[in-house]
Amino acid sequence: MVTFLGSIVLLVAGYATYSKLVEKIFGINDSIPTPAYTENDGMDYAPMSWWKGSLIQLLNIAGLGPIFGAIMGALYGPVAFIWIVAGSIFAGAVHDYFSGMLSLRHKGEQFPSIVGRYLGKPAKTAINIFSILLMVLVAAAFTAGPAQLISSLTPLSFMASLFIIFAYFILAAVLPVNRIIGKIYPFLGAILIFMAVSIAVALLFSEKSIPNVTLSNYHPGELPIWPLLMVTISCGAISGFHSTQSPIVSRTLKKESDGRKVFYGAMIGEGIIALIWAAAGMTFFGGTGGLQEALAAGGPAGVVNEISSSLLGTFGGILAIFGVIILPITTGDTALRSSRMMLAESLSSFMKIDGRWKVVITTLPVALPTLYLATIDYSFLWRYVGWTNQVTAAVMLWTATMYLLKNKKFHWICGVPALFMTGVVSTYIFYAPEGFQMDYQLSMIIGSVITLAIAVWYVYQIIKHRQLGKNSTSLTAA
């Protein structure tokens, strides 16, 4: 219990201290008009208060991610606490802050366009395809899951449930941001927080003892912590999906100083939610062995329902069902909205249509494959979401690193976590079942070689930008 409470304190302290350092290094300027005013179109650009933006951002980036992912990550034991705390403060929140603020500085640009600015056009083209694929996979996965649950609880068939959810997705993707997202999502974000806090309080006052942190691996299947834990718990530590969602809210901020509260703050809030559910997962069932049995019997949704019903009674069961249905839907619809915005931005030089027709035309090409993928195996979709998600996170961190390098700022705050995540995804793809399924030691060697190569590139970029700085200084002096 001491570790659990201490971890929450560390997350709050990280927001109170490290976020201010990150903000200072970025260099905010409240005198610069934000895109919410300069680009106001009544559709995607519209000014909102920071507290609304924070709750919308939390709901967009979270959904069921910090619940399901944290419960699966709890199989590794209390070491998950270390990853959630360190990942959130030094990687995830930094990633989210820069993805939001760089979008803000460039008229609300989408993630691929920001990548293109700092990593070059080839990187932009590759990440554009990669990001839209990730959005489609997330939207499909977060359609299929709720549809399965609705069909099991009501007379509706799976396909009928699927079409109802998807009709809402289309509506939310094409309506102005302040119609549904701006009005309903702050309320749903508050429910997400209330659900987690209720579980935390009930857990603390129960007779169950939350384990203290150790570096030991308690996974019943003896799966290695590195790099599997870092992919299993993404939402709640660091998630590339967030960099695709931040531009939605960056287009609504009234001033640059709101960015720390909205982007960094929402990630810390997600970290606390993940911490609570990880603690519940490894505590409620008497250890990781019991948790594994519960997951085998009912999956993450069944685990959430059992924990909520037992700790909070009938109300908790209703809250759990509501959460498992509503929360993924609110992530899936913003994923579809993001993919629509990315496609529109990438085709802006070819497409001269403006207004509602442009929104409709760019929604259909991403909506149709999403609907098809939602009809196939949910677990298949989710396996591929994990790796593509963390590759996106690494790319965003490298983008932020290059921004800092080019502007002669302290680049290490992004460069170090970028190297770390490069190591994670480089090793994971060779070892994982959805990857090349190689021997663990061989995967470690290949992953290390790739990471070392990227590190050499990073050092070269540092030397290159220092030399450019010296040359510019010499020219100025001359």
Side-chain angles (χ1 to χ4, degrees), residues 283-468:
T283 302
F284 185 82
F285 298 97
T288 58
L291 173 59
Q292 187 179 50
E293 292 176 6
L295 285 168
V303 168
V304 170
N305 184 49
E306 187 171 349
I307 291 173
S308 301
S309 300
S310 299
L311 294 179
L312 303 177
T314 303
F315 172 73
I318 295 171
L319 197 64
I321 292 172
F322 177 81
V324 171
I325 292 175
I326 296 297
L327 294 179
I329 291 175
T330 58
T331 301
D333 65 1
T334 52
L336 192 62
R337 188 182 188 93
S338 294
S339 60
R340 182 263 292 172
M341 291 162 67
M342 287 179 193
L343 188 62
E345 199 168 272
S346 64
L347 297 176
S348 59
S349 58
F350 306 100
M351 187 180 294
K352 304 304 179 183
I353 303 171
D354 291 318
R356 296 299 174 94
W357 278 111
K358 182 178 181 180
V359 172
V360 173
I361 291 171
T362 51
T363 299
L364 289 177
V366 292
L368 294 177
T370 300
L371 180 60
Y372 168 72
L373 287 172
T375 63
I376 68 176
D377 180 34
Y378 173 81
S379 60
F380 171 82
L381 292 174
W382 197 245
R383 286 203 306 269
Y384 287 93
V385 167
W387 183 72
T388 54
N389 185 38
Q390 297 304 61
V391 169
T392 304
V395 172
M396 181 61 237
L397 285 170
W398 283 122
T399 301
T401 303
M402 291 305 297
Y403 160 78
L404 294 171
L405 265 173
K406 289 182 178 181
N407 288 276
K408 301 179 179 65
K409 297 176 184 285
F410 188 74
H411 54 86
W412 298 105
I413 60 165
C414 292
V416 172
L419 269 176
F420 180 88
M421 291 308 298
T422 299
V424 168
V425 296
S426 298
T427 306
Y428 184 87
I429 192 60
F430 290 100
Y431 177 67
E434 62 271 25
F436 294 102
Q437 303 180 41
M438 291 184 177
D439 174 75
Y440 180 65
Q441 296 300 327
L442 180 59
S443 301
M444 289 279 287
I445 292 170
I446 297 173
S448 298
V449 170
I450 293 173
T451 305
L452 180 60
I454 298 295
V456 170
W457 169 82
Y458 182 25
V459 172
Y460 167 75
Q461 292 298 324
I462 294 171
I463 295 170
K464 175 184 172 182
H465 283 86
R466 282 180 181 173
Q467 190 61 46
L468 287 172

Side-chain angles (χ1 to χ4, degrees), residues 64-74 229 231-235 274 278 300 382:
L64 281 178
I67 300 177
F68 280 13
I71 287 172
M72 297 295 291
L229 177 62
V231 176
T232 303
I233 302 182
S234 53
C235 290
W382 197 245

Side-chain angles (χ1 to χ4, degrees), residues 206-282:
S206 71
E207 296 179 355
K208 302 179 184 297
S209 178
I210 302 173
N212 288 318
V213 73
T214 71
L215 295 177
S216 301
N217 185 357
Y218 290 92
H219 198 291
E222 298 183 352
L223 294 177
I225 292 173
W226 172 275
L228 300 188
L229 177 62
M230 291 76 194
V231 176
T232 303
I233 302 182
S234 53
C235 290
I238 178 171
S239 167
F241 176 71
H242 298 186
S243 63
T244 67
Q245 300 303 291
S246 294
I248 294 177
V249 180
S250 76
R251 298 180 177 194
T252 70
L253 295 191
K254 293 182 176 181
K255 54 185 179 180
E256 289 194 354
S257 57
D258 287 343
R260 184 174 71 91
K261 292 174 279 190
V262 172
F263 301 119
Y264 200 103
M267 182 62 233
I268 293 298
E270 187 185 65
I272 292 173
I273 292 170
L275 197 71
I276 290 169
W277 282 101
M282 66 183 72

Side-chain angles (χ1 to χ4, degrees), residues 9-241:
V9 170
L10 285 173
L11 284 169
V12 174
Y15 172 74
T17 57
Y18 198 67
S19 70
K20 292 180 180 179
L21 173 64
V22 172
E23 181 184 63
K24 183 178 180 180
I25 291 170
F26 179 82
I28 60 168
N29 186 349
D30 279 344
S31 67
I32 301 175
T34 63
Y37 295 105
T38 60
E39 308 294 322
N40 193 331
D41 61 357
M43 172 61 72
D44 296 318
Y45 295 86
M48 287 186 192
S49 60
W50 71 265
W51 66 268
K52 269 192 176 182
S54 294
L55 288 171
I56 291 169
Q57 176 74 358
L58 177 63
L59 196 65
N60 287 357
I61 66 175
L64 281 178
I67 300 177
F68 280 13
I71 287 172
M72 297 295 291
L75 287 170
Y76 293 90
V79 69
F81 293 159
I82 299 175
W83 168 235
I84 292 170
V85 172
S88 293
I89 295 172
F90 300 110
V94 174
H95 166 282
D96 289 14
Y97 182 80
F98 275 90
S99 65
M101 295 304 292
L102 287 176
S103 174
L104 187 76
R105 280 282 174 89
H106 296 296
K107 299 182 179 181
E109 275 186 352
Q110 292 297 299
F111 169 59
S113 295
I114 297 169
V115 171
R117 282 181 178 274
Y118 298 102
L119 295 182
K121 288 186 178 180
K124 176 184 177 179
T125 302
I127 207 65
N128 219 332
I129 298 169
F130 205 81
S131 298
I132 292 175
L133 175 61
L134 174 61
M135 294 304 93
V136 169
L137 284 171
V138 168
F142 282 5
T143 307
Q148 287 175 352
L149 186 57
I150 291 172
S151 64
S152 68
L153 296 173
T154 69
L156 292 172
S157 67
F158 171 74
M159 290 304 296
S161 304
L162 195 69
F163 278 112
I164 290 171
I165 293 172
F166 207 76
Y168 165 76
F169 274 16
I170 298 293
L171 194 65
V174 301
L175 284 177
V177 70
N178 55 6
R179 288 284 179 87
I180 294 179
I181 293 174
K183 291 181 179 179
I184 300 175
Y185 282 25
F187 170 71
L188 296 176
I191 289 179
L192 176 65
I193 296 171
F194 175 77
M195 186 177 177
V197 171
S198 299
I199 293 294
V201 172
L203 198 63
L204 289 172
F205 285 95
S206 71
E207 296 179 355
K208 302 179 184 297
S209 178
I210 302 173
N212 288 318
V213 73
T214 71
L215 295 177
S216 301
N217 185 357
Y218 290 92
H219 198 291
E222 298 183 352
L223 294 177
I225 292 173
W226 172 275
L228 300 188
L229 177 62
M230 291 76 194
V231 176
T232 303
I233 302 182
S234 53
C235 290
I238 178 171
S239 167
F241 176 71

